[in-house]
Amino acid sequence: MGDGGGPVVLGIETSCDETAVGVVAGSLLLSSVLSSQVEAHARFGGVVPEVAARAHVEAIRPLVHDALRQAGIHQTQVDAIAATRGPGLVGSLVVGFGFAKAFAWTLDKPFLGIDHMEGHLFAPRLEHPGYQPPAVVLLASGGHSQIIHVPEWGRYTEMGRTIDDAAGEAFDKLARFMGLGYPGGPAIDRAAASGDPTAITFPRALGDRPFDLSFSGLKTSVTTYLAKAARADMVPPLGDVAASIQEAIVDVLVEKTFNAVDATGVGRVAGGGGVLANTRLRRRLAEVAADRGVELFLPSPALCTDNGAMIAAAACFHLGDGSRSGWDADVDPGLRLG
Ligand code: KG4
Ligand code: ZN
């Protein structure tokens, strides 16, 4: 057991392009380390699954050591080992999942396979003890965008989701189109800082559906706008385009999240996933939450993006409710929360 924090859990996350390991004691964060593959994938403009899987194999063992050392925990003091079960790239998932199972077996400790999105949903707890159900949680990452109602831990009702691209995917694709590189979210966030968000009005889709999201129309609208500008030999200020794209994405994420707050009557909103690291989204959520008198719980940016500590935090809850995964458990690349 940790120092008053609850069981010590080591969490491993390898669903996409970050090898990440974290150690928590209950909801107390002890360490969170990662090895980013951004450089390995940047020249391809996106994640290459074979490259990702190989990089996880190389990074995982030293990272587990780093995470334990930084936490000041010896491996024999760990109460359970957890790893992401899905959703994600199958070749990447099996590296972390297989390593975690073997490690747990060797230590003779319980092993738990965790839903990656449930990890994002638990991430705010590591910094905000006041984050408790009932809550509405906005989960927005590179592969998923969902609005989840959490009446109690472990029970998740999906109120809305994207019907096409995820919010992070929209950032990534549009940044690539604009020549801003990969990953696109941070690049647009930076470029937008010097731009006017009202310069260009890009569409906000699905105004008739309270909780669902769609970003493919925005993609078409931006690419058409930029192609037209190029034909007219007009170079629109990059900052204005970035800020206007960001505003269109942020507008719908904020609106739909608070539609869910209105519909459920909850007094707490939380967020998780890489897109929640976005400067403008964080500010707008904070403004609307303050306006409505709703409590807001956002992880710091480093815990919004993929990390191992969030997997360990979700596992802590499941350890308490008695769940365990068997030694024959397998990854599930298509896992869906809610
Ligand atoms: O949760 P995450 O690290 O990985 C997945 O589970 O997909 O999310 C990654 C996504 C990427 O699409 C990335 O462009 C986006 O989060 N992202 C951002 C920002 N930082 C990361 N999007 C907008 N603004 C940011 N500052
Ligand atoms: Zn993620």
Side-chain angles (χ1 to χ4, degrees):
M1 286 282 176
D3 297 338
V8 175
V9 179
L10 179 120
I12 296 181
E13 152 59 38
T14 63
S15 68
C16 191
D17 61 343
E18 316 271 19
T19 319
V21 184
V23 181
V24 307
S27 47
L28 196 70
L29 175 67
L30 298 183
S31 69
S32 182
V33 296
L34 64 82
S35 161
S36 175
Q37 304 177 8
V38 164
E39 273 176 37
H41 300 288
R43 64 198 169 102
F44 302 106
V47 178
V48 182
E50 290 79 3
V51 174
R54 190 165 286 262
H56 288 308
V57 171
E58 285 169 9
I60 189 128
R61 192 170 175 277
L63 268 184
V64 167
H65 277 279
D66 285 354
L68 288 169
R69 194 173 47 236
Q70 283 191 25
I73 293 280
H74 187 263
Q75 62 188 42
T76 52
Q77 296 171 288
V78 171
D79 296 306
I81 310 277
T84 303
R85 185 159 81 88
L89 302 168
V90 64
S92 288
L93 287 167
V94 295
V95 177
F97 199 79
F99 186 96
K101 256 203 301 194
F103 195 32
W105 189 81
T106 309
L107 295 174
D108 196 20
K109 299 288 177 179
F111 168 71
L112 292 93
I114 297 293
D115 184 318
H116 178 83
M117 299 312 286
E118 190 181 19
H120 279 306
L121 189 145
F122 267 89
R125 266 182 78 76
L126 293 167
E127 294 162 304
H128 305 284
Y131 167 42
Q132 292 286 348
V136 160
V137 188
L138 169 64
L139 297 177
S141 67
H144 303 268
S145 293
Q146 300 173 275
I147 294 168
I148 306 276
H149 175 221
V150 185
E152 57 186 77
W153 295 127
R155 272 185 58 207
Y156 311 114
T157 308
E158 184 184 72
M159 297 188 70
R161 64 166 22 229
T162 180
I163 60 164
D164 40 57
D165 291 349
E169 192 179 356
F171 273 113
D172 292 338
K173 286 179 176 169
L174 287 169
R176 183 158 50 188
F177 192 77
M178 292 166 70
L180 290 176
Y182 158 87
I188 290 189
D189 195 339
R190 275 192 302 275
S194 62
D196 172 6
T198 64
I200 312 149
T201 307
F202 291 123
R204 277 71 167 155
L206 299 186
D208 54 335
R209 283 159 72 164
F211 315 121
D212 285 331
L213 306 154
S214 163
F215 298 105
S216 72
L218 170 67
K219 208 169 57 192
T220 311
S221 169
V222 174
T223 50
T224 308
Y225 173 88
L226 290 174
K228 244 192 224 162
R231 274 200 302 277
D233 258 345
M234 181 199 114
V235 186
L238 206 64
D240 286 353
V241 179
S244 301
I245 290 171
Q246 181 174 269
E247 200 67 3
I249 296 174
V250 167
D251 261 355
V252 291
L253 291 177
V254 173
E255 185 192 326
K256 308 266 161 137
T257 301
F258 282 92
N259 283 346
V261 170
D262 291 341
T264 54
V266 301
R268 297 189 194 105
V269 173
V275 176
L276 276 294
N278 184 268
T279 316
R280 182 77 180 148
L281 177 59
R282 297 174 75 86
R283 187 173 318 140
R284 289 279 306 283
L285 285 171
E287 283 167 5
V288 180
D291 215 43
R292 305 271 192 102
V294 167
E295 281 185 283
L296 175 68
F297 304 98
L298 297 180
S300 53
L303 292 175
C304 287
T305 46
D306 290 349
N307 64 86
M310 70 184 197
I311 300 302
C316 260
F317 160 72
H318 286 295
L319 202 58
D321 79 8
S323 350
R324 304 286 183 271
S325 301
W327 300 119
D328 58 346
D330 202 357
V331 301
D332 183 354
L335 203 59
R336 181 170 164 177
L337 190 68

